């Protein structure tokens, strides 16, 4: 630990030396570098996908909940850059619920909301406890995975004063999917279930 030099040992060599010095472990495995994947075509932009998985109501309409309008601005900017045949806007606000509407700007473009249609294709028009991260997002590029994490952390993440971070959600599958993505970036993440049944990563 804390040495630039690394060495590879056989298991029998490890077994013949003490694993601990006092109460502290002596041997460590180096954290992996970020896994390189090619940039993928993603049907929903990654930051928006993260924000919708975190604080989206996806069952019947496309809604995003929250107090931070910067998140809403980021989502609208990403969607309007991604879909060039229409414009996303907020039709009305009910408390902290933002209704994301789609206005086609071309007569041949789809009448429906493309994002909601994609969510239905992915079986993500579901309740919060059933949300998950689609496979193609897990094996996307480093930049795309980081944008997805930003969307998730901006909505359901927490950062303490000492810099410790956590993410909590009702969906066990979503939280464990995020843990796998963090591992793929060389980031340690510990999974727990809180007493209120929320699934959490530290």
């Amino acid at each position: 630990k804390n040495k630039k030099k690394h060495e590879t040992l056989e298991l029998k060599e490890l077994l013949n030396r003490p694993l601990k010095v006092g109460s502290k472990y002596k041997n460590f495995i180096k954290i992996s570098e970020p896994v390189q994947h090619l940039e993928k075509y993603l049907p929903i932009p990654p930051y928006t996908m993260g924000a919708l998985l975190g604080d989206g109501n996806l069952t019947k309409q496309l809604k995003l909940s929250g107090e931070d309008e910067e998140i809403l601005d980021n989502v609208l900017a990403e969607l309007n850059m991604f879909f060039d045949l229409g414009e996303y806007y907020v039709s009305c606000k009910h408390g902290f619920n933002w209704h994301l509407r789609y206005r086609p700007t071309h007569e041949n473009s789809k009448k429906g909301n493309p994002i909601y249609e994609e969510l239905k294709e992915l079986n993500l028009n579901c309740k919060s406890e059933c949300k998950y991260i689609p496979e193609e997002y897990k094996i996307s590029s480093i930049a795309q995975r980081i944008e997805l994490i930003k969307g998730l952390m901006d909505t359901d993440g927490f950062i303490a004063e000492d810099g410790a971070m956590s993410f909590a959600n009702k969906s066990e599958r979503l939280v464990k999917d995020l843990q796998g993505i963090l591992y793929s970036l060389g980031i340690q993440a510990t999974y727990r279930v809180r007493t209120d049944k929320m699934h959490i990563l530290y």
Side-chain angles (χ1 to χ4, degrees), residues 68-172:
D68 189 348
E69 293 208 15
E70 185 179 353
I71 297 172
L72 176 65
D73 293 340
N74 289 341
V75 166
L76 290 176
E78 191 173 51
L79 289 179
N80 287 325
M81 185 168 56
F82 196 77
F83 293 95
D84 56 1
L85 292 178
E87 177 188 15
Y88 275 89
Y89 65 100
V90 176
S91 62
C92 59
K93 295 181 182 180
H94 297 290
F96 299 130
N97 287 316
W98 302 315
H99 290 233
L100 300 178
R101 306 286 189 181
Y102 179 74
R103 182 191 295 119
T105 55
H106 190 282
E107 60 182 9
N108 295 324
S109 62
K110 293 170 66 174
K111 297 284 185 181
N113 189 323
I115 288 289
Y116 189 69
E117 294 303 315
E118 293 289 355
L119 289 168
K120 287 199 293 185
E121 286 288 323
L122 294 166
N123 294 318
L124 280 171
N125 57 324
C126 57
K127 293 183 178 180
S128 297
E129 56 267 25
C130 298
K131 289 179 180 178
Y132 71 97
I133 297 174
E135 196 64 31
E136 55 263 45
Y137 289 80
K138 298 179 188 177
I139 55 172
S140 59
S141 70
I142 292 173
Q144 288 174 316
R145 277 174 280 159
I146 289 174
E147 284 302 308
L148 175 72
I149 293 168
K150 285 181 181 179
L152 287 164
M153 287 297 295
D154 279 356
T155 49
D156 277 352
F158 176 78
I159 303 177
E161 289 185 4
D162 63 358
M165 292 179 284
S166 60
F167 176 85
N169 194 274
K170 292 180 180 179
S171 170
E172 177 183 0

